[in-house]
Amino acid sequence: MAMDKAQVSRRGFLGMSLAAGVITLTACGSDNDDKGATSGNATAANLVMAVWGGDADKTAYQKRIDLLVKKFPELKVTLQLIPGDGYAQKVQTMIAGGKGPDIMQVAESVNVYSSKNQLLPLDDLASKAGIDLEKRFGSIGKLYSYQDKVYAIPDRSGAMIVYYNKTLFDAKGIKAPTADWTWDDTLSAFKELTVPGKQWGYSGGGWWAQWWSFVYQNGGKIIDDSGKPAVATDEVIEALQWTGDLVFKHGVVPTPKQYADMGADVGGDAAFANGKVAVNTTGFWAIGGLAKSKIEWDIAPLWKGKQQAVTAFGSGLAVSRTAKNPDAALKAIDFFTSPEAQQQIIATGQDVPANIEVQKSQAFLKPAWMTKPVNMNVFGESSDFVYRAPFIPAWNEMQKAFDDGLADFWLGKQDARTALTAVQKRLESIVKPA
């Protein structure tokens, strides 16, 4: 399944938009004595916070840092923006040299760091700070865990959602998608919305975040509860085959050649924005681009299989093991994930805040920059369906095994059982139970 190059750089939990280099911004307290002085027994702390991103991220993070310093003038925070493609190497080098950031953004590679003892477990610190992870973040509260220890606090998190073309749906008399749609309902709608060679029902499910959702909807797991690969099971095979059949059996998703014929850089997001496909499944970031599209669109929660399940995108905030003042770092993270600070994430149009209270607030449901009526409540509704993805230390190696092992499957040259049986053997050599 083709994907936009821009999609690849932004997708997944990393959600990267690349900066040109390391950008350092410092937030300081007021120079006024009555505002800049520490209060009570508070201890002054100078913190470094490392994140990846571009201009939009720089603006959003800096606004939250400024709020933090205004409320806690004893805390000083220097923001470092690091290019996404060099982020992991940069922060690991900093930590190895004893000069790691105090606070660092992490995503699906969180346990690449934690398994190397590069992050501090946060369970005790969070408990001491009175952070109720489940109350604040719902089902993703302990998403960034390894061996029953929490290594990051959720910061940004929005489920994968359905974008649908209202005009095409109305023309066929099809009601808006809902979370109650089954695989059969979905396929039926895709067939109705497809005009062979001209228009397709769906943009495709070839990205891990998409087909993994279908796996977990079907009762399968990528890694089982004992920590072993489980991709050659009937549940996983059936889900992947269903996804591939949308292209090569039912013709409701463009083939790689058909995507190529649309234009070299046209993938799912662009094809949807151009009215070539009726349904796209992706993250929050597509909203900004669609604001300028001529099509009439809205969003809905992902359909279900045997059960509800959906991938979420986002990132967390962790404390590196070289942090000189872990308590102060956790205090900052506590504030950054509070409703007051999290509102800035949506106010700037950066992303979906992880804080459930903010997701359900008017600030999120009707952001000032939204120019079209969009059912933003979908994100809050979908948060109940998010499955816990296997953020294992061998995450990168696992993804490469899928990329290599499923290449022929996504070209229609291999069935799911054959492909996944081979992938399973490869995963067994690189994924070891904790």
Side-chain angles (χ1 to χ4, degrees), residues 134-180:
E134 183 176 354
K135 182 178 180 181
R136 188 175 294 193
F137 308 109
S139 63
I140 65 164
K142 295 187 177 182
L143 183 66
Y144 302 107
S145 299
Y146 178 61
Q147 295 183 341
D148 296 323
K149 293 182 180 180
V150 173
Y151 284 95
I153 307 295
D155 183 47
R156 296 156 53 180
S157 181
M160 182 170 68
I161 57 173
V162 171
Y163 290 79
Y164 67 98
N165 187 311
K166 295 169 66 175
T167 302
L168 298 182
F169 270 64
D170 289 344
K172 292 293 184 178
I174 303 173
K175 294 183 179 180
T178 72
D180 291 328

Side-chain angles (χ1 to χ4, degrees), residues 75-380:
L75 299 180
K76 307 294 185 281
V77 180
T78 298
L79 178 66
Q80 288 189 334
L81 273 82
I82 301 173
D85 55 356
Y87 180 84
Q89 181 178 357
K90 177 68 175 179
V91 295
Q92 289 191 37
T93 299
M94 292 166 67
I95 294 171
K99 297 181 179 179
D102 299 279
I103 302 168
M104 56 185 283
Q105 184 183 12
V106 297
E108 66 264 37
S109 296
V110 57
N111 292 318
V112 175
Y113 305 120
S114 66
S115 65
K116 297 177 181 178
N117 193 32
Q118 294 173 331
L119 302 178
L120 292 181
L122 300 181
D123 303 81
D124 292 342
L125 287 172
S127 178
K128 181 179 178 181
I131 302 175
D132 186 327
L133 296 175
E134 183 176 354
K135 182 178 180 181
R136 188 175 294 193
F137 308 109
S139 63
I140 65 164
K142 295 187 177 182
L143 183 66
Y144 302 107
S145 299
Y146 178 61
Q147 295 183 341
D148 296 323
K149 293 182 180 180
V150 173
Y151 284 95
I153 307 295
D155 183 47
R156 296 156 53 180
S157 181
M160 182 170 68
I161 57 173
V162 171
Y163 290 79
Y164 67 98
N165 187 311
K166 295 169 66 175
T167 302
L168 298 182
F169 270 64
D170 289 344
K172 292 293 184 178
I174 303 173
K175 294 183 179 180
T178 72
D180 291 328
W181 271 25
T182 65
W183 286 8
D184 288 342
D185 295 330
T186 303
L187 177 57
S188 177
F190 289 167
K191 287 180 176 179
E192 290 243 13
L193 293 161
T194 295
V195 178
K198 297 181 179 180
Q199 175 184 304
W200 292 265
Y202 181 40
S203 60
W207 172 36
W208 71 265
Q210 294 162 333
W211 73 268
W212 281 23
S213 292
F214 308 148
V215 165
Y216 283 80
Q217 287 180 356
N218 202 40
K221 290 185 177 181
I222 300 300
I223 303 294
D224 68 20
D225 293 339
S226 68
K228 297 179 181 178
V231 301
T233 61
D234 289 344
E235 293 83 359
V236 179
I237 291 168
E238 184 180 19
L240 181 63
Q241 191 64 56
W242 182 82
T243 309
D245 285 349
L246 296 176
V247 187
F248 300 107
K249 180 179 179 180
H250 304 296
V252 298
V253 170
T255 64
K257 183 180 184 305
Q258 288 169 330
Y259 267 124
D261 290 343
M262 294 181 202
D265 294 324
V266 175
D269 288 5
F272 178 78
N274 293 337
K276 292 291 187 179
V277 299
V279 171
N280 188 30
T281 49
T282 189
F284 168 89
W285 55 82
I287 288 178
L290 287 172
K292 300 178 181 178
S293 174
K294 296 180 180 180
I295 68 171
E296 292 297 319
W297 60 276
D298 204 346
I299 60 177
L302 188 68
W303 52 83
K304 67 178 182 179
K306 296 174 182 176
Q307 58 194 32
Q308 301 278 14
V310 65
T311 300
F313 313 107
S315 61
L317 297 176
V319 178
S320 83
R321 67 172 173 83
T322 58
K324 295 180 176 62
N325 193 331
D327 287 316
L330 203 284
K331 183 176 182 178
I333 292 175
D334 184 13
F335 179 79
F336 290 146
T337 58
S338 70
E340 179 182 357
Q342 289 261 298
Q343 286 188 17
Q344 293 300 322
I345 297 175
I346 188 61
T348 57
Q350 181 194 26
D351 207 342
V352 180
N355 189 295
I356 296 298
E357 180 180 335
V358 179
Q359 285 190 20
K360 296 179 179 179
S361 71
Q362 287 301 301
F364 180 79
L365 297 178
K366 294 184 178 181
W369 48 263
M370 186 70 75
T371 59
K372 296 184 178 182
V374 177
N375 183 18
M376 296 289 283
N377 188 58
V378 165
F379 289 99

Side-chain angles (χ1 to χ4, degrees), residues 10 15 363:
R10 290 177 300 185

